Amino acid sequence: MIAQRPDRAAACVRGTAEALPLRDGSVDAALAVLTVHHWTDVEAGIAELRRVARKRIVILTWDQSVFREFWLVREYLPAAAAVSAGHAVPVARLVELLCGARVEPVLSPHDCTDGFGAAFWRRPDAYLDPGVRAGISMLAQADPRELVDGLSMLDKDLNSGAWHERHNELSTLDRLDAGYRLIVSG
């Protein structure tokens, strides 16, 4: 990602959540986007965000209890759901660590251009693309052998029209609550 930045972009630094290479109170706000599930020590990472941020901390994560009902993981890729659940940090735990932060739902638009887990909720054929799956950690980290049957079933259901029949109501929605949440402190 750093290599993709324009030459005139603001400076960036490399570090880990648990040891941010920044001075105390050096930023107005700290933002963590779909990353806390990759941290080795969530408590240390939150402490670091609190240390460097003067005013606000914002975390985008997901509520596992909502996400596990997402059609892709519920019907086709339970192995991915297991990866997701195994790494998820409960929203309540993050709120606790951030001393009572507020939680706001983030609805995914039907034409979302980002590639996170539920971004293609109304474009299911995207999940058949290996390039798309490689950019979604729960799919990239799952054992590929455990995804084969589910992906084959999804492909079959798309070709037969069964997926569209079963999920017809999705075609009328502009946004979907797949469990993504903003946790805002400060």
Side-chain angles (χ1 to χ4, degrees):
M1 305 260 318
I2 290 173
Q4 296 173 356
R5 295 164 44 86
D7 292 335
R8 293 183 180 178
C12 68
V13 295
R14 291 182 190 205
T16 63
E18 298 85 352
L20 295 172
L22 300 170
R23 295 183 320 275
D24 292 1
S26 61
V27 299
D28 284 337
L31 173 66
V33 177
L34 297 174
T35 184
V36 295
H37 58 287
H38 294 293
W39 297 357
T40 58
D41 184 338
V42 172
E43 289 79 8
I46 296 294
E48 280 293 275
L49 294 178
R50 293 181 75 184
R51 180 183 67 78
V52 303
R54 286 188 296 269
K55 297 179 181 177
R56 177 162 294 145
I57 297 169
V58 179
I59 296 174
L60 176 62
T61 189
W62 74 94
D63 181 335
Q64 187 62 30
S65 66
V66 178
F67 186 75
R68 72 174 160 240
E69 294 304 315
F70 175 48
W71 64 260
L72 179 69
V73 295
R74 185 185 69 237
E75 297 173 24
Y76 297 98
L77 301 176
V83 168
S84 177
H87 297 286
V89 178
V91 169
R93 179 67 179 136
L94 295 170
V95 168
E96 176 187 329
L97 290 169
L98 289 169
C99 301
R102 73 179 187 276
V103 178
E104 300 176 15
V106 177
L107 304 181
S108 302
H110 73 90
D111 57 353
C112 185
T113 58
D114 200 327
F116 57 88
F120 307 102
W121 60 270
R122 207 169 93 175
R123 296 166 288 160
D125 53 304
Y127 294 110
L128 299 175
D129 181 337
V132 167
R133 292 195 310 274
I136 299 173
S137 61
M138 70 171 179
L139 300 178
Q141 293 173 351
D143 183 337
R145 296 170 296 188
E146 293 183 4
L147 302 179
V148 170
D149 290 344
L151 291 170
S152 295
M153 188 177 358
L154 175 58
D155 186 40
K156 178 183 169 201
D157 286 355
L158 288 171
N159 287 323
S160 72
W163 184 92
H164 293 286
E165 286 177 31
R166 207 167 39 251
H167 298 288
N168 186 44
E169 78 285 353
L170 295 179
S171 67
T172 66
L173 300 177
D174 288 330
R175 293 180 183 88
L176 180 75
D177 182 357
Y180 295 99
R181 300 293 183 259
L182 272 184
I183 302 171
V184 182
S185 174

